[in-house]
Amino acid sequence: MDLTKHSTPELNQLKKDIDKELKKRRRQDVKEAQKELKQVAEKYGLAVTELVPGGATKSGAKAGVVRFRHPEDPAKGWSGRGRKPAWIKEWEAKGRSLEDLRVD
């Protein structure tokens, strides 16, 4: 794909569209993996929690699991628990939605 013919605003929109599609596909992949994991557990007469170390907490969500990730620096993540990191606060201060950062 030759991107040199596109303007900067067009490229920015394309990037947003790609990021949105990747997030959508990631959610689909997670659902499919969960379905497959459940089938494997059932095949062996086990609970899914026996196959995955750590298990789920009372609320059903695992503590420490990254639910939001920085779009440009994947090393920065946040579980959604506790205080919001500075990069999340900056993101929201620019009028952007926290949901845009969701990875699960």
Side-chain angles (χ1 to χ4, degrees):
M1 173 184 268
D2 183 13
L3 300 176
T4 59
K5 298 176 184 179
H6 296 282
S7 68
T8 300
E10 288 173 332
L11 289 172
N12 283 327
Q13 184 60 49
L14 183 60
K15 183 180 183 297
K16 283 176 76 174
D17 293 344
I18 289 171
D19 289 343
K20 186 176 179 180
E21 182 64 24
L22 285 171
K23 287 177 190 177
K24 177 182 162 188
R25 290 186 187 197
R26 170 82 174 159
R27 286 189 297 269
Q28 291 170 344
D29 289 345
V30 167
K31 286 180 183 180
E32 184 63 29
Q34 289 170 336
K35 180 180 170 184
E36 290 177 22
L37 188 58
K38 184 177 177 183
Q39 290 172 346
V40 169
E42 288 173 356
K43 176 181 176 183
Y44 292 97
L46 302 170
V48 172
T49 55
E50 293 178 275
L51 300 177
V52 181
T57 61
K58 275 187 174 180
S59 67
K62 290 185 247 174
V65 172
V66 174
R67 304 237 183 260
F68 305 94
R69 187 156 319 271
H70 193 284
E72 297 171 5
D73 185 356
K76 293 180 181 177
W78 182 50
S79 68
R81 293 181 175 210
R83 292 185 178 181
K84 290 181 181 177
W87 64 269
I88 295 262
K89 291 178 185 177
E90 292 170 8
W91 179 266
E92 290 179 319
K94 293 177 183 176
R96 296 178 177 157
S97 170
L98 182 59
E99 289 304 309
D100 293 340
L101 301 172
R102 185 173 291 280
V103 294
D104 62 347

